[in-house]
Amino acid sequence: MTGRRGERPPAPEPLPAPVVDAHTHLDACGAKTPRDVAVLLDRANAAGVDRVITVADDLEAARWAAEAATWDDRVFAAVALHPTRTTGFGEHERAVLAELAGHPRVVAIGETGLDYYWDHASPEDQRAAFRWHVGLAKDTGKPLMIHDREAHEDVLRVLDEEGAPAEVVFHCFSGDLDFARRCVERGFTLSFAGPATFRNAHALREAARWTPEERLLVETDAPFLTPHPYRGHPNEPYCANYTLRDLATLREVDLAELASAITRNAERIFGLRDAAQH
């Protein structure tokens, strides 16, 4: 039994080594105040998820994320305008995001990219905004956090044409083995969320099994995409525990070693140790 769908998944056994949730949305999980954030992070810490990157998808969320990262030492932020919100993307949005991107606890530019599943913004508007975000990542020296939904070829094309930043992370990687290989060949990192645990996601699980350890991250994308066997339930950062356990089994590796490797990756890619000094 996995409980009623409106219930949070049960607290898992703590991980043998801590791991970073590389992409979550604390505001969408219901957090508004410093106390709310602390409650979510306390629950995550009890499961072995010791730090999170909370990610913005619009200007209000970007301001909130940058502020929330100053409330709790366990929280870092990423700022951008989600591709589905790029209609009318102009000088005001660019100015706000550029200012927020300079905050020391904002450790990535994201999530940005292309989304051809929804029709909330035209492909042309999305591509123009994506190109600007690529430039912002390079100007700030911060990693680019990619949202790629049904847009694999165009995402790679834009990155190739613009020249990718030093670090690119494909959030909630959704490609197959061939696409994973093409990304890793370019030096990109793949971050796996709940869908990589879904038993019918054969092509995605093949990619997750293959991805080199040094190019691997784990995330929740909470409150969305809760991992197996709690698909459809509310997601939170502590559920990265479930995804990591499933990845360790899939890859036939030691759980503690995988957690430690992913933590090292997150610290290196996002500069978490330096950002923690602020």
Side-chain angles (χ1 to χ4, degrees):
M1 290 291 290
T2 58
R4 293 189 293 273
R5 290 176 68 88
E7 296 177 344
R8 287 194 308 268
E13 180 182 347
L15 294 169
V19 77
V20 177
D21 179 356
H23 187 116
T24 191
H25 301 271
L26 296 181
D27 53 343
C29 291
K32 294 181 174 62
T33 67
R35 175 60 184 159
D36 296 337
V37 169
V39 168
L40 287 171
L41 268 294
D42 287 348
R43 195 148 49 225
N45 283 184
V49 181
D50 70 342
R51 286 164 290 176
V52 307
I53 300 172
T54 190
V55 181
D57 63 359
D58 62 19
L59 291 187
E60 181 180 359
R63 293 187 183 99
W64 186 90
E67 184 177 2
T70 69
W71 294 343
D72 194 304
D73 289 344
R74 301 168 292 183
V75 177
F76 302 89
V79 300
L81 210 63
H82 192 282
T84 60
R85 300 178 183 271
T86 53
T87 300
F89 183 72
E91 288 301 324
H92 172 67
E93 289 79 10
R94 289 192 281 269
V96 171
L97 291 171
E99 191 275 327
L100 292 173
H103 290 206
R105 292 186 67 87
V106 170
V107 298
I109 306 304
E111 56 187 286
T112 181
L114 301 173
D115 189 315
Y116 292 168
Y117 178 80
W118 299 107
D119 61 358
H120 301 316
S122 71
E124 293 77 18
D125 285 345
Q126 292 187 45
R127 287 192 289 267
F130 183 25
R131 291 178 189 276
W132 181 85
H133 283 94
V134 172
L136 180 62
K138 291 193 287 188
D139 288 346
T140 58
K142 296 184 178 181
L144 188 70
M145 190 180 281
I146 299 290
H147 173 102
D148 165 25
R149 190 164 187 188
E150 299 188 3
H152 297 335
E153 299 306 322
D154 278 4
V155 166
L156 285 189
R157 180 171 60 82
V158 169
L159 290 170
D160 288 346
E161 289 175 357
E162 295 297 318
E167 293 288 355
V168 174
V169 175
F170 273 72
H171 132 70
C172 191
F173 183 78
S174 59
D176 60 9
L177 177 57
D178 175 69
F179 189 64
R181 290 183 188 277
R182 294 163 66 195
C183 289
V184 169
E185 284 171 359
R186 289 166 166 81
F188 303 158
T189 296
L190 312 184
S191 184
F192 290 93
T197 72
F198 298 167
R199 296 310 189 249
N200 60 348
H202 303 297
L204 177 58
R205 286 173 65 76
E206 185 180 25
R209 183 185 297 111
W210 170 84
T211 299
E213 185 179 83
E214 66 274 11
R215 285 296 163 195
L216 183 68
L217 290 171
V218 68
E219 64 171 82
T220 57
D221 198 23
F224 317 106
L225 305 177
T226 312
H228 175 84
Y230 302 103
R231 187 175 183 176
H233 292 248
N235 201 6
E236 274 191 22
Y238 75 88
C239 294
N241 178 305
Y242 288 112
T243 300
L244 182 68
R245 288 179 182 278
D246 195 271
L247 288 174
T249 299
L250 177 69
R251 294 165 64 90
E252 299 180 333
V253 297
D254 179 76
L255 178 61
E257 291 179 3
L258 184 61
S260 297
I262 289 175
T263 293
R264 288 194 299 272
N265 293 343
E267 290 177 343
R268 180 189 77 247
I269 292 165
F270 297 113
L272 297 185
R273 291 187 179 274
D274 287 341
Q277 304 305 310
H278 299 275

